[in-house]
Amino acid sequence: MAGFFNLLINMGPRYVGFRLTYELRRRTGLLKAKFPTHPPLKSFTSLHAWKQLPTQFFFESRESLRNESLSAASKLPDASLQKQFNEYQKGNLLFFSAKYYHISDWLTNQTNQYQYDASRHWTEIPDFSPTAGDIKYVWEKSRFAFLYPLIRYDFQTDEDLAEAVFKEIENWIAANPVNCGPNWRCSQEISLRVLNWTFALNYYKNSPSLTEERFQRIMYTIYWQMKHVEANINFSRIAVRNNHAITETLTLYLVGLLYPFFPESKRWKNLGKQWFEEEITYQIYEDGTFLQFSMNYHRVVVQLLTWAFRLADLNEERFSNVVYDRARKSVTFLRACQDEKTGWLPNYGNNDGALFFPLNNALYRDYRPQLAALEATLGIESEEVEDKFWYGLKNASGQPKTTAPEPQSFSKGGYYTLKDADTLAFIRCGAYNDRPFQADNLHLDIWVNGENIMRDAGSYLYNTDEKWVNYFAGTASHNTLMLGNYNQMQKGPRFVWYDWVKEAQGTWNLEGGKFIFEGKIRAFVQAGKNIYHRRKVTKLKSESKWVIEDWLENAPNDLPIHQIWHPSDSFFEHFSIQAFTQNGSELMVALTEGWYSGLYGVKEPAQRLVFTTLERYIRTEIQKK
């Protein structure tokens, strides 16, 4: 009961009331009745009429792009794209930019061979099931992001892959009846599928493989997918309220814009635009940080904003000014967190491998292509990347970027960054008004010359054993303090945390050639009242040396504090770390079992350093040898 009231306080009565009502409707079958199966076939327009529509896409067609050329910065095809195509021919797909799986159908989880029943209504299929395993391994192919490497390979080699692409779409339609099976379970997955089919339809619009019969089947399925999205939109806008809602509202707008012949298109377009603007305004804070507290999920929004701005601009439409302002501030924030040598960002927050529109050869952790494309839509000068070619932004010009003063503070979201010489420091220090994913306050990420020498352990899997959920989401996998075995917040079921951190302050100062961060949070409520963790990080200007001081106030005397670090594999070759008590006595380091997940679904043993003391102060020095 205490957990329920904690949830009510944190999430609010609107959320709790909606979830209870939604679950009641699902269990009684009322929700199921709202989503019909096997609706009768209906024609909305002809293939010829669709081709004559005045609406504009990123490009005219495959043929129009044949007259274009990619810049010298994107020499293609490269080995990675060739490998993806070769593996595709063998029936293998790259999942989450991490691992190839042999995929024979649309319903089998390849990690455990569990096969979903495509005849069951989607309301009867759970997101989480120990037997079924992680449902994302079924959703991944059905997103159809794998079409982008095929289309890029087609363009670069002039090998026409239209027939292969349309056979995949046709096969999916046959295997996934309307509103049945796991691939109708999530409205965001449906929305992504529609966007990716739309990209392929426009690229191959003049291909003989796109027959009238195929076109009609695809339009019928797009229509019913969007009917599903609209009918279930409140689940995303009230119960989930994250990048799902942004994806779904944007797709409603874009389908209404690009497919004006559906009976609901005008409503979808108007409501979708209104809701999208509301979601961006709510979810991206005033300082450009994002309510999901995840670098990768913020990149999802960056890509969606690129679609939104580019297609609106091509069709002489515009969003409210606040949407463009939040986009610009998002770029500023993410660039502040980015290692300039590699283009990587900290492995921070939920990382489920989401990269829905892979339009380049960059490594998955390299954010430069997606940021550059969004910058181009905003008129900001940016790197030359392949994404800009596909969005029709290759010649986009803008004003040169200005370098923001360092260090930088993003206090609304709770992030503090410092770029000094060839180093980057990233500190998390924030209170929660929106649902946290992990207990990671006062985590410190350190980068030197492109290497993440003190890193975040990652998030691993969406649906896995409790042991791994607790480790990767818990305080134990971050570079911060634990009190005994307590996380900073109390772990609830699944994605739920109780006793959110509600007090947090942080500041940067420059004193006598030293950058000094000072932060403070109130945490560990389950261990006592008014327990505060204070952290001071001192960085010597132009030197690779950091001094980290931690204080714990009002904590029970019998509980030790553990200062935790996750060094890179090569850390000790070039750096040293020492910790001391208040009186200068050196603390011995314990090498404990740790894990690192750089890509979704992949984990590997890693060094984990722990300094432990019953005192309430630790001073740690990290420096280059």
Side-chain angles (χ1 to χ4, degrees), residues 442-463:
L442 294 174
H443 166 85
L444 170 64
D445 236 61
I446 301 176
W447 299 66
V448 180
N449 195 29
E451 182 184 356
N452 191 186
I453 66 167
M454 283 296 176
R455 60 193 185 180
D456 190 305
S459 59
Y460 184 43
L461 274 176
Y462 178 70
N463 185 17

Side-chain angles (χ1 to χ4, degrees), residues 498-557:
Y498 303 127
D499 301 319
W500 294 3
V501 171
K502 288 293 187 179
E503 292 182 34
Q505 306 90 34
T507 58
W508 275 114
N509 293 291
L510 179 59
E511 299 176 5
K514 297 178 181 179
F515 294 104
I516 299 175
F517 167 82
E518 292 186 86
K520 182 177 182 179
I521 64 167
R522 184 166 68 89
F524 306 110
V525 174
Q526 63 272 39
K529 295 181 178 180
N530 298 318
I531 298 175
Y532 287 90
H533 173 198
R534 288 196 293 124
R535 169 163 280 190
K536 181 178 180 180
V537 179
T538 303
K539 165 72 169 63
L540 277 65
K541 195 170 184 179
S542 301
E543 293 185 33
S544 294
K545 181 177 181 179
W546 297 263
V547 177
I548 301 94
E549 296 174 270
D550 284 315
W551 294 262
L552 207 63
E553 302 171 356
N554 304 323
N557 293 328

Side-chain angles (χ1 to χ4, degrees), residues 55-68:
T55 50
Q56 300 294 308
F57 195 64
F58 303 131
F59 45 77
E60 174 60 31
S61 65
R62 180 178 187 266
E63 293 73 30
S64 68
L65 286 175
R66 297 310 308 168
N67 298 322
E68 306 288 346

Side-chain angles (χ1 to χ4, degrees), residues 592-621:
T592 63
E593 180 184 62
W595 295 88
Y596 178 72
S597 177
L599 294 168
Y600 187 70
V602 177
K603 70 179 189 305
E604 56 190 11
Q607 294 182 98
R608 181 173 176 269
L609 312 179
V610 181
F611 295 104
T612 299
T613 179
L614 281 169
E615 295 187 23
R616 292 302 177 248
Y617 172 87
I618 296 178
R619 180 178 186 272
T620 302
E621 297 178 2

Side-chain angles (χ1 to χ4, degrees), residues 98-150:
K99 183 178 179 180
Y100 283 95
Y101 288 90
H102 185 75
I103 308 300
S104 57
D105 59 65
W106 303 96
L107 301 168
T108 302
N109 182 338
Q110 297 301 320
T111 64
N112 61 6
Q113 300 307 306
Y114 178 87
Q115 187 170 53
Y116 286 88
D117 182 354
S119 67
R120 292 183 67 189
H121 197 272
W122 69 267
T123 58
E124 300 169 344
I125 295 175
D127 274 350
F128 306 107
S129 163
T131 304
D134 191 340
I135 198 170
K136 284 184 181 288
Y137 280 90
V138 174
W139 288 346
E140 178 71 355
K141 184 181 180 182
S142 288
R143 288 174 173 171
F144 281 83
F146 72 91
L147 295 185
Y148 291 97
L150 299 184

Side-chain angles (χ1 to χ4, degrees), residues 180-238:
C180 292
N183 292 314
W184 289 83
R185 181 71 182 82
C186 174
S187 292
Q188 184 184 39
E189 300 299 320
I190 292 171
S191 299
L192 292 169
R193 184 159 51 247
V194 168
L195 293 180
N196 294 335
W197 285 6
T198 298
F199 194 98
L201 278 166
N202 280 275
Y203 186 74
Y204 290 118
K205 70 190 305 180
N206 297 323
S207 171
S209 294
L210 182 56
T211 63
E212 183 69 37
E213 184 181 1
R214 274 179 170 164
F215 177 77
Q216 293 299 334
R217 276 198 292 270
I218 293 171
M219 289 303 106
Y220 163 85
T221 310
I222 287 178
Y223 174 73
W224 281 102
Q225 288 181 102
M226 297 317 298
K227 288 271 285 185
H228 176 112
V229 170
E230 184 191 24
N232 210 37
I233 195 67
N234 280 340
F235 185 83
S236 291
R237 297 196 69 228
I238 298 174

